[in-house]
Amino acid sequence: MHVAAGVLVDGAGRVLLAQRPPGKHLAGRWEFPGGKLEAGEDTAAALVRELDEELGIAVDPLSFEPLIRVPWSYGERPLCLDAVIVRAWSGVPAALDAAAIDWRDPRDVDPSLLAPADRAILAALRLPEHYPVTPSDVSVERAATLVRAALARGERLMQWRLPSVSLAEARKGAAGLLPELRRFGASLLLNRDIEGARELGLGVHLSAAQLRELDARPLPPSQWVAASCHDADELAMAVRCGCDFATVSPVMPTASHPGAEPLGWPRFAKLAEAAALPVFALGGVGPHEVAEARMHAGQGTAGIRAFWRA
């Protein structure tokens, strides 16, 4: 089943959610409005029709911006959910086919209230285009200086990865950044340190080995959970563990892993399109490859050297 979802964004950055009515599958859950493609329709045409039928508005396809494609399965009901950002329409949205509608800031939406397939859409909305990772060969003090400089220039999502220092030192350094992170509304994910993330209220970035050991999400929805993935099996494990997003690497040749065979953009796109969560391209890419990553179904780019040089 192919479904189109419209992510209506108003001038204040709020998005429109619709509550599924009684008697329907997942009744009471909230979702992004839309519906099934009919025979001969593409995503844009289906969205124009569905938003007219469900909300009574006329949308402009020229304002559409692809966000994410989510493959999902509700038991024996597999579907492909194409989410599209909609920024222009005429008319006032009304709950013509929903129990209720509500405008919400994406940051304030509880993912557990959404239909499961729609949670990846919410994550894609919340996530930025960059995901810098701290250099592995620097001191805690130097890493903290780099993070503060990155916050000042606009980065809002970073990974705290310091394999050359003790766990206690790394946690202490991350704790020292909490005031700046809160002031900027930014997120820091601790590399592999689930307990440290729980203690400090931060996110965690899991290794592929950790994914194999987990059978449930290790943190509450208010804290990011990400994972390092390299193939379709690891991406499937990340979804099973309730991860919010993943990195896939290496996309291009990289000095940090000279013996690893790069995926290239076509193979990266195949993995990203089949993943039911946002995916960042990692390995041999930097902030200037965001457009390339977006063209190949990625959320954006992650990296080390290129981001801190910038």
Side-chain angles (χ1 to χ4, degrees), residues 231-248:
D231 55 36
D233 288 342
E234 290 176 355
L235 284 167
M237 286 191 291
V239 173
R240 185 198 70 215
C241 291
C243 290
D244 299 298
F245 67 95
T247 59
V248 167

Side-chain angles (χ1 to χ4, degrees), residues 32 34 64 75 86 169 171 173 182 203-204 208 218 221 227:
F32 294 93
F64 290 0
V86 181
E169 287 180 285
R171 286 183 188 175
R182 290 168 183 151
V204 68

Side-chain angles (χ1 to χ4, degrees), residues 41 59-60 99 126 134 147:
E41 281 187 327
V59 294
D60 180 4
R126 288 173 163 176
T134 54
V147 168

Side-chain angles (χ1 to χ4, degrees), residues 131-134 139-147 158-163 165 167 169-175 177 188-193 202 205:
Y131 183 37
V133 183
T134 54
S139 66
V140 173
E141 293 75 16
R142 176 59 178 159
T145 298
L146 290 171
V147 168
M158 287 170 277
Q159 184 186 151
W160 187 249
R161 179 177 178 269
L162 298 171
V165 306
L167 197 62
E169 287 180 285
R171 286 183 188 175
K172 184 177 179 181
L177 290 166
L188 189 70
L189 280 70
L190 305 187
N191 180 261
R192 307 187 187 195
D193 186 5
L202 297 173
H205 188 100

Side-chain angles (χ1 to χ4, degrees), residues 23-192:
K24 282 196 174 183
H25 180 240
L26 298 174
R29 296 279 186 160
W30 292 82
E31 65 183 358
F32 294 93
K36 303 174 189 175
L37 274 66
E38 295 184 349
E41 281 187 327
D42 60 13
T43 299
L47 210 49
V48 170
R49 176 182 53 76
E50 286 285 348
L51 296 182
D52 175 42
E53 294 173 357
E54 292 194 0
L55 302 175
I57 59 173
V59 294
D60 180 4
L62 296 178
S63 76
F64 290 0
E65 176 187 336
L67 178 63
I68 189 172
R69 171 172 287 184
V70 184
W72 199 260
S73 180
Y74 290 111
E76 297 182 356
R77 300 177 62 181
L79 63 87
C80 177
L81 181 60
D82 270 326
V84 176
I85 292 177
V86 181
R87 299 189 186 276
W89 62 88
S90 59
V92 178
L96 303 181
D97 192 39
I101 59 173
D102 192 19
W103 288 99
R104 299 291 301 275
D105 186 318
R107 295 169 296 183
D108 298 333
V109 177
D110 181 352
S112 66
L113 300 179
L114 297 179
D118 287 67
R119 294 170 191 171
I121 302 175
L122 179 65
L125 276 170
R126 288 173 163 176
L127 289 166
E129 297 177 331
H130 294 167
Y131 183 37
V133 183
T134 54
S136 60
D137 55 352
V138 300
S139 66
V140 173
E141 293 75 16
R142 176 59 178 159
T145 298
L146 290 171
V147 168
R148 290 187 175 101
L151 289 170
R153 67 171 179 265
E155 300 292 356
R156 293 295 179 262
L157 180 76
M158 287 170 277
Q159 184 186 151
W160 187 249
R161 179 177 178 269
L162 298 171
S164 62
V165 306
S166 70
L167 197 62
E169 287 180 285
R171 286 183 188 175
K172 184 177 179 181
L177 290 166
L178 289 176
E180 286 94 341
L181 293 168
R182 290 168 183 151
R183 179 159 61 93
F184 285 100
S187 299
L188 189 70
L189 280 70
L190 305 187
N191 180 261
R192 307 187 187 195

